[in-house]
Amino acid sequence: MSRPAIFPVERLELRFRPKPWAFAADRHAEIDTFFAALRREKPDIWNGRVLLMHHQRVSGGVFQGDYLEADYASFAAWRAWGRPAAGVHDCFGAAAVATGDGAFLLGVMAPHTFNAGKIYFPCGTPDPEDIVGGAVDLEKSVRRELKEETGLDAGELMVESGWTVVADGSLVAQIKLLRSDDNAETMRARMLAHMKRETQPELCDIRIVHGPQDFDQAMPRFVTAYLTDHFKGRTS
């Protein structure tokens, strides 16, 4: 399996250009069966609406893309079935929170979530709430997910310009680097305190990553690829 592609872009130009998703229509009966079984296992999962990218190009330091809208059940089935070719990419924003002592903070997904046990940056699939004037605003998505999952306000952090794109097959992570002057233990304590105040937090723990020695098999490839490049000095 080839390694993920990693490259910087100056900005994102993402638009909401709705169109039917043939995968969801053609396999709706299988999807309904799949999602009913998933709901029996994880009753709190909600079949909301999500945005999936159906066209993309990179030119002159700008990542351009068009999104369609789909139901979460179809998206979850597509992912669970190995992301078969279906004319879409899972393109989302993620918050890479770097601390003053050179570490990164990653969240462990709680047992009630679809990705239970996975360890990655605060992130989430964009949804219709992220559509602003016909554009899909991934920075808005990143700020919302960071606040909901960790309690951190992006306004309190140093938000780096541009994005780092990590493309791994049909998965495209748009990673925004945010820096804090506080050390990792202090930041982790803040995040854990937020989680304790939540009735049903999305995360169940926070991991500190100082380098590749702290990598875990539960970290997706887009996370370890980004961090590997960062610790090598290729991303900053």
Side-chain angles (χ1 to χ4, degrees):
M1 183 180 294
S2 60
R3 295 183 66 248
I6 305 175
F7 54 92
V9 293
E10 296 175 7
R11 68 180 188 275
L12 308 178
E13 292 182 356
L14 308 174
R15 300 166 297 183
F16 181 53
R17 294 281 182 88
K19 58 178 284 188
W21 188 23
F23 172 87
D26 294 345
R27 302 187 65 175
H28 68 91
E30 296 171 80
I31 291 168
D32 288 346
T33 300
F34 163 83
F35 198 67
L38 181 62
R39 286 291 304 272
R40 287 193 292 272
E41 180 184 351
K42 298 178 183 292
D44 296 317
I45 289 181
W46 176 58
N47 189 20
R49 307 297 292 179
V50 297
L51 304 179
L52 300 174
M53 193 170 64
H54 62 82
H55 178 264
Q56 64 284 329
R57 68 188 292 265
V58 181
S59 177
V62 180
F63 188 105
Q64 300 173 322
D66 297 335
Y67 281 82
L68 58 78
E69 182 177 346
D71 64 305
Y72 182 79
S74 297
F75 171 59
W78 175 67
R79 289 173 59 186
W81 297 339
R83 302 176 186 265
V88 296
H89 284 75
D90 176 13
C91 181
F92 58 92
V97 179
T99 62
D101 52 349
F104 283 85
L105 298 169
L106 277 64
V108 181
M109 296 301 293
H112 69 274
T113 65
F114 181 71
N115 294 310
K118 295 293 185 181
I119 304 170
Y120 44 66
F121 304 124
C123 62
T125 306
D127 61 41
E129 185 179 333
D130 299 314
I131 302 171
V132 181
V136 177
D137 189 343
L138 286 194
E139 184 153 352
K140 177 183 178 183
S141 175
V142 165
R143 289 171 178 264
R144 181 185 67 247
E145 296 296 332
L146 179 68
K147 185 71 172 181
E148 290 179 355
E149 294 181 10
T150 71
L152 297 181
D153 189 326
E156 303 172 12
L157 306 172
M158 291 171 283
V159 182
E160 297 288 322
S161 62
W163 300 77
T164 298
V165 182
V166 182
D168 188 9
S170 62
L171 183 152
V172 181
Q174 306 282 0
I175 301 181
K176 175 65 72 171
L177 178 61
L178 305 96
R179 298 184 185 274
S180 171
D181 289 332
D182 291 334
N183 64 42
E185 290 293 350
T186 298
M187 294 294 288
R188 179 175 185 268
R190 286 184 60 187
M191 293 179 174
L192 292 176
H194 166 77
M195 289 156 52
K196 288 182 180 179
R197 292 191 295 269
E198 294 287 288
T199 302
Q200 192 175 55
E202 289 187 58
L203 305 179
C204 61
D205 197 6
I206 299 295
R207 294 284 182 86
I208 297 173
V209 178
H210 288 283
Q213 70 275 9
D214 297 320
F215 289 179
D216 189 293
Q217 290 186 345
M219 296 176 184
R221 281 172 23 118
F222 82 88
V223 170
T224 55
Y226 174 86
L227 291 175
T228 296
D229 270 26
H230 179 90
F231 290 126
K232 286 180 179 179
R234 288 175 56 188
T235 59
S236 60

